Amino acid sequence: MKRTLLSIAIIFGTCVFAQEKKSDTAKTKNIEGVTITKQVFKKQSDRFVYDVAASPVAKGNTTFDLLKQTPLLSSTDDKTLKIAGKNNALIYINGRKTNMDSESLIQFLKNTPAENIQKIEVITVPGSEYQVESSDGIINIVLKKKMSDGLNGNMRMSNTQNKYNANQASFSANYRKGKLGISANLNGGEEIEPQTYTLRNGTATTSNESTGNIDDPNKYIGGYLNIDYQLNDKSNLALSWNTWANKSYNSTVNLFNTIKNGNDTKYTWSKNKEDARSYNNSLNLNYELKTDSLGSKLNVNAAYLNYRRFQLTDNQTFQSDANMGIGTRTTQVIQDLPQVINNFSGMVDYIQKFKNDLTISIGGNYNKTKTDNDSKNTTNFFEPAKPSEPKPNHFIYDENIYGFYLTAEKKFSDKISGKIGARYEITNSLGTSDNAPTDALKRIERNYNNFLPYLSFNYAINEKNNLSYSFSSRMRRPSFWEINPVKNILTDDNYTQNNPFVKASSTYNQELTYMYKNSYFLILNHSYFQDVITQVPLQGYPVSPGGVVGANPVLRYIRTNFGNKQEMSAMVGIQKSFFKQYWTTNFNIGVQHNINNGSLDTDPTTGDRFQNQKGEFISYTNKMNSTSLLIQTNNTIRLDKKKTWFLGVNYFFVDKQQIELGSLKSLMSLDLSLKKTWNEWTFAVNVNDILNTNIVKIEDYQDNGNYNYIHQNRYNRSLTVSLTYNFGNQKVKKVRDIEGASDAIKSRTK
């Protein structure tokens, strides 16, 4: 049920706010044999740097938990990471993008201990050399540099309780001997993702309300193997393999529907069952050649990605009554929705450094992707009985992307530095359908070129004051599942519809940052989105292009390009340690202003228009603005002199704001944690969303009389108990983490 109705990424993709964390002046002390490095948060020319090193914040935590406590990063759903003002965060390790799709990456981060992290870099406006889309930012995790040979690793086990119980475990090992380095990880777990829904839509005289539960059980296993060999003093060869498998059988949707039409009321049950499994395997070969002593180097990558998802759904509708009894089955829709993605990618980068502090970077990439979606839908009618309606659709999508970039970075003095660059991208795609319902869907061809400039400037006024500005332009291509023209049925009258006509959108980002003493900051951000890719609710009586009017009103959530929007934000923050570092606190407050400008009156996949009971054609519009208050505070309290007990208190509040689907009501969460360390053992207890206030509520009232209401509880209130053990020689040098040539494609598989 990963994409049932409203994915959490959709809901929170437009809900952005800042999370700033602990920082201070870098200082290292040796206390009772334990080296503690204080956190540092500072601004460099194109990124923010958060130095966590061996701090108690990292020890015993997972990498995902640590990222949530990093300045400018946030997660409201415990599944996605956001950068302030950004729709998405791409994960890099040691400057190289990770070789995983989004789903497996989050699980990997949740099952990987954070002890080996030296610092986290947050790049809010990436330069032209990065393959990113839309307003995406980058989180670069820099691992500690170990110098001696040997073996080390860690083991971690955790158990989480919300509505159901979940458990996770991971094992990591790192080996180095001379020129050869090998690292491996194996992690897995099982959980049931629960949701409670209330969906309500209609007019003053008609309404459709659905209430009930969704339970999505998941069992997963994944890992990686990296082999790095130093050919000589100047060159390295590396091979990386990432794998992930997820099984989600017997996912269920049970919704009780109340349909009112004037004085008539009808009751039904929607009982849906889904069996799904997915596999992701990627292989990357990397060659690196250092060309001089200044740091100039050549990087060459070749990669292959195979992603497979098999989904079988059984959607049944039963008659019912006001007492919620289950009566006669009326319809059944069986859907077989397989998806196979194959991608080959190549990438070449060359960085030339000069003695006058000038750096020139040039490179290119090529991505060839083919997705195969052989969908089969069969509708069975029981009451009244009618012949079955099979509707197969074999949709194949071929895409070729060529990208080229050039950047120049110059340090003019100790105070002034700047960077300028551009990307040029060529995209050719073709979508074909064997059994499309309309001629327009049988062949969809897209060819477009984009020039994407970038500029950044940094001025270190003095040791205490720093000012920087960045501008970038990007594209956002639709994910592969978004353009697969299938329905995801929720009830007889409610469903989501993917759209092969979705085209790439454009984004223009600007950011101005002022920092004082690396502890106080002001960030001003502006983003303009053109042809926004989102999900839009269309409702009413459907009217086909031939003029046939539907008997019942419906609600369709259509994936489409929906006008333009702007997002503006201003944040101020302070980060300080008090009482000899017994209490480290961070507090941020800001405002965000959203301007929406979108309208849709036709289903782009069928050509249907919608009318009300009076026979008037109606549309869905969102031309609303909103200004929202954002508050974030995170605190770490040391409870003893030996630095073995720590208490964490975190809180966020996001005021209501206007998004594409309507008015998103305020969200907030209070989280507590307690941690105890014994040498290489760490025991931790985390309680999230103690007040049970992190629940999604969306309301939308249209001028034409239509309204839409969504209440979604994902049971974010949870208790997690974890135990981590580090073993072996902790001075082992880490294997190089290599950017895969196919990494830009992986984020579009989910």
Side-chain angles (χ1 to χ4, degrees):
M1 299 298 166
K2 295 283 191 280
R3 299 166 189 158
T4 299
L5 189 59
L6 298 173
S7 69
I8 203 67
I10 297 167
I11 292 175
F12 291 109
T14 51
C15 174
V16 290
F17 57 91
Q19 273 186 254
E20 321 304 333
K21 271 290 171 226
K22 312 154 185 68
S23 71
D24 214 320
T25 305
K27 186 176 181 181
T28 301
K29 295 183 179 180
N30 190 282
I31 301 177
E32 297 181 3
V34 180
T35 301
I36 302 296
T37 303
K38 293 175 59 179
Q39 302 95 41
V40 176
F41 182 53
K42 60 184 179 181
K43 181 69 169 67
Q44 293 183 346
S45 60
D46 66 341
R47 66 196 63 194
F48 297 88
V49 180
Y50 177 45
D51 192 346
V52 294
S55 72
V57 176
K59 194 166 187 178
N61 259 338
T62 69
T63 301
F64 187 81
D65 289 334
L66 182 61
L67 291 174
K68 289 196 301 181
Q69 299 182 56
T70 297
L72 301 176
L73 303 185
S74 63
S75 178
T76 58
D77 58 0
D78 205 40
K79 293 181 179 296
T80 54
L81 288 164
K82 309 293 180 186
I83 298 179
K86 308 297 168 188
N87 283 337
N88 193 25
L90 301 180
I91 304 297
Y92 279 56
I93 298 179
N94 287 349
R96 303 296 179 186
K97 194 182 294 183
T98 48
N99 275 342
M100 296 182 189
D101 66 276
S102 57
E103 181 181 335
S104 57
L105 175 60
I106 290 298
Q107 291 295 343
F108 168 74
L109 295 176
K110 287 184 176 182
N111 286 283
T112 302
E115 279 85 349
N116 291 329
I117 297 177
Q118 173 69 34
K119 60 184 178 180
I120 297 171
E121 299 176 340
V122 181
I123 307 174
T124 56
V125 185
S128 300
E129 67 272 26
Y130 294 102
Q131 297 181 57
V132 298
E133 299 197 351
S134 187
S135 58
D136 291 352
I138 290 175
I139 302 171
N140 182 35
I141 302 170
V142 180
L143 300 175
K144 295 178 182 177
K145 301 297 183 182
K146 314 292 184 179
M147 300 310 297
S148 63
D149 290 348
L151 172 70
N152 74 353
N154 50 61
M155 297 179 290
R156 186 178 188 274
M157 295 179 292
S158 66
N159 187 274
T160 301
Q161 182 71 47
N162 49 23
K163 182 179 180 180
Y164 301 108
N165 189 263
N167 56 79
Q168 305 85 29
S170 69
F171 174 83
S172 301
N174 190 70
Y175 173 78
R176 176 164 291 277
K177 181 67 174 178
K179 296 182 178 181
L180 176 66
I182 300 175
S183 66
N185 170 271
L186 180 66
N187 64 85
E190 58 180 336
E191 62 182 357
I192 300 177
E193 298 180 5
Q195 298 181 50
T196 297
Y197 266 120
T198 297
L199 309 172
R200 191 181 304 126
N201 64 280
T203 65
T205 57
T206 65
S207 67
N208 187 340
E209 180 179 275
S210 301
T211 60
N213 301 307
I214 296 176
D215 289 332
D216 183 20
N218 290 269
K219 295 181 180 180
Y220 53 85
I221 186 170
Y224 64 81
L225 174 65
N226 296 330
I227 302 173
D228 188 357
Y229 185 74
Q230 183 179 354
L231 300 174
N232 51 50
D233 291 341
K234 295 184 178 180
S235 62
N236 287 72
L237 189 67
L239 181 68
S240 301
W241 173 56
N242 288 273
T243 185
W244 183 260
N246 186 86
K247 180 180 178 181
S248 177
Y249 278 17
N250 199 33
S251 293
T252 57
V253 177
N254 292 286
L255 296 178
F256 181 72
N257 311 303
T258 304
I259 303 102
K260 295 183 179 181
N261 192 343
N263 295 324
D264 297 330
T265 302
K266 183 175 71 172
Y267 303 97
T268 65
W269 272 101
S270 295
K271 291 186 171 293
N272 306 336
K273 178 179 176 294
E274 176 186 282
D275 290 338
R277 64 189 192 277
S278 60
Y279 310 92
N280 188 309
N281 285 278
S282 61
L283 194 66
N284 188 87
L285 182 64
N286 168 263
Y287 174 73
E288 181 181 274
L289 174 66
K290 298 177 182 178
T291 58
D292 59 34
S293 59
L294 298 176
S296 303
K297 61 181 180 180
L298 171 71
N299 249 306
V300 181
N301 285 275
Y304 173 71
L305 165 71
N306 176 256
Y307 174 82
R308 294 174 293 155
R309 176 176 171 82
F310 304 98
Q311 178 183 355
L312 182 64
T313 64
D314 183 356
N315 309 280
Q316 302 188 53
T317 303
F318 298 85
Q319 294 177 348
S320 187
D321 52 34
N323 295 321
M324 304 178 69
I326 300 178
T328 304
R329 181 173 59 170
T330 58
T331 59
Q332 178 186 37
V333 181
I334 299 175
Q335 296 179 293
D336 186 5
L337 307 172
Q339 183 179 58
V340 178
I341 301 174
N342 286 287
N343 167 263
F344 172 77
S345 305
M347 181 172 62
V348 178
D349 300 284
Y350 181 68
I351 300 173
Q352 178 63 56
K353 293 182 177 289
F354 298 91
K355 293 182 178 180
N356 59 351
D357 291 323
L358 172 66
T359 300
I360 301 293
S361 301
I362 186 171
N365 63 278
Y366 170 66
N367 282 287
K368 180 177 180 58
T369 307
K370 181 178 180 179
T371 71
D372 192 322
N373 311 273
D374 193 4
S375 305
K376 298 178 179 65
N377 293 10
T378 301
T379 303
N380 300 312
F381 302 95
F382 302 99
E383 185 66 36
K386 292 193 301 182
S388 299
E389 293 183 359
K391 293 182 179 180
N393 182 37
H394 192 187
F395 180 71
I396 296 177
Y397 179 75
D398 286 290
E399 181 183 78
N400 293 275
I401 301 174
Y402 308 84
F404 310 92
Y405 77 87
L406 175 66
T407 66
E409 185 173 6
K410 172 69 175 176
K411 183 177 180 181
F412 298 96
S413 67
D414 291 338
K415 293 185 175 182
I416 300 175
S417 62
K419 187 175 182 179
I420 188 171
R423 286 189 70 86
Y424 186 73
E425 296 183 343
I426 303 170
T427 304
N428 301 320
S429 67
L430 175 64
T432 59
S433 181
D434 291 347
N435 302 285
T438 64
D439 290 338
L441 286 170
K442 290 182 178 179
R443 182 181 175 89
I444 303 172
E445 189 171 1
R446 293 268 193 265
N447 298 300
Y448 48 90
N449 305 333
N450 297 86
F451 179 74
L452 308 170
Y454 169 85
L455 171 69
S456 69
F457 174 81
N458 191 76
Y459 178 39
I461 303 171
N462 50 45
E463 292 183 356
K464 297 180 179 180
N465 298 273
N466 190 90
L467 187 68
S468 62
Y469 168 80
S470 298
F471 167 83
S472 76
S473 57
R474 293 290 180 179
M475 296 172 57
R476 194 266 202 197
R477 297 178 181 86
S479 299
F480 298 119
W481 65 268
E482 291 177 301
I483 56 179
N484 181 21
V486 299
K487 296 179 183 178
N488 290 287
I489 297 172
L490 192 65
T491 71
D492 279 351
D493 301 315
N494 291 351
Y495 62 82
T496 65
Q497 173 70 61
N498 298 333
N499 179 8
F501 295 110
V502 173
K503 61 181 181 180
S505 63
S506 302
T507 306
Y508 305 90
N509 304 300
Q510 295 186 82
E511 184 175 275
L512 180 66
T513 302
Y514 168 71
M515 291 201 72
Y516 177 67
K517 290 185 176 180
N518 289 326
S519 295
Y520 307 87
F521 65 86
L522 167 67
I523 301 178
L524 305 177
N525 182 275
H526 176 269
S527 296
Y528 177 75
F529 304 84
Q530 191 173 26
D531 297 320
V532 177
I533 301 174
T534 189
Q535 189 168 261
V536 175
L538 289 178
Q539 61 179 314
Y541 293 89
V543 182
S544 70
V548 179
V549 182
N552 299 311
V554 300
L555 173 62
R556 302 177 186 175
Y557 285 94
I558 308 295
R559 183 69 51 177
T560 190
N561 296 100
F562 187 65
N564 308 321
K565 73 173 181 180
Q566 296 184 67
E567 294 179 353
M568 291 163 277
S569 63
M571 287 181 299
V572 292
I574 179 175
Q575 300 155 89
K576 280 291 184 180
S577 293
F578 299 94
F579 309 115
K580 297 181 179 180
Q581 300 181 29
Y582 271 86
W583 175 31
T584 301
T585 185
N586 165 270
F587 178 79
N588 316 295
I589 187 169
V591 292
Q592 178 173 306
H593 184 65
N594 295 346
I595 302 175
N596 298 273
N597 184 18
S599 180
L600 186 67
D601 61 3
T602 303
D603 185 335
T605 62
T606 63
D608 291 353
R609 299 184 66 187
F610 296 82
Q611 65 182 29
N612 56 23
Q613 286 183 308
K614 299 178 181 179
E616 301 168 332
F617 285 107
I618 55 179
S619 63
Y620 177 79
T621 61
N622 186 345
K623 298 185 179 182
M624 302 290 291
N625 304 334
S626 67
T627 302
S628 307
L629 176 68
L630 317 171
I631 300 174
Q632 178 74 35
T633 181
N634 295 275
N635 304 269
T636 298
I637 302 170
R638 177 158 57 92
L639 301 177
D640 65 338
K641 292 182 179 180
K642 295 183 178 181
K643 299 184 179 181
T644 63
W645 284 96
F646 298 91
L647 174 67
V649 182
N650 301 325
Y651 173 81
F652 75 77
F653 171 80
V654 185
D655 202 0
K656 66 178 182 180
Q657 58 183 290
Q658 192 72 21
I659 62 174
E660 286 87 348
L661 291 173
S663 176
L664 174 64
K665 302 306 179 182
S666 62
L667 299 167
M668 72 174 182
S669 181
L670 174 64
D671 307 330
L672 299 178
S673 64
L674 183 65
K675 182 166 58 178
K676 168 65 176 177
T677 62
W678 299 276
N679 298 320
E680 301 303 326
W681 293 87
T682 303
F683 175 78
V685 178
N686 296 74
V687 184
N688 294 326
D689 194 18
I690 293 175
L691 304 178
N692 199 29
T693 50
N694 192 4
I695 298 174
V696 174
K697 299 177 184 178
I698 301 175
E699 289 183 344
D700 179 66
Y701 295 91
Q702 295 284 299
D703 293 337
N704 56 34
N706 285 353
Y707 71 88
N708 189 27
Y709 172 80
I710 301 167
H711 183 284
Q712 182 190 35
N713 182 3
R714 296 182 63 97
Y715 294 90
N716 290 308
R717 182 162 62 179
S718 64
L719 170 69
T720 300
V721 179
S722 64
L723 183 65
T724 305
Y725 174 67
N726 295 308
F727 64 88
N729 176 11
Q730 298 302 310
K731 296 182 179 180
V732 175
K733 184 179 179 181
K734 285 290 176 182
V735 174
R736 289 190 309 135
D737 287 272
I738 306 302
E739 178 180 6
S742 63
D743 292 331
I745 296 298
K746 290 181 175 62
S747 61
R748 297 168 62 196
T749 62
K750 277 288 180 183

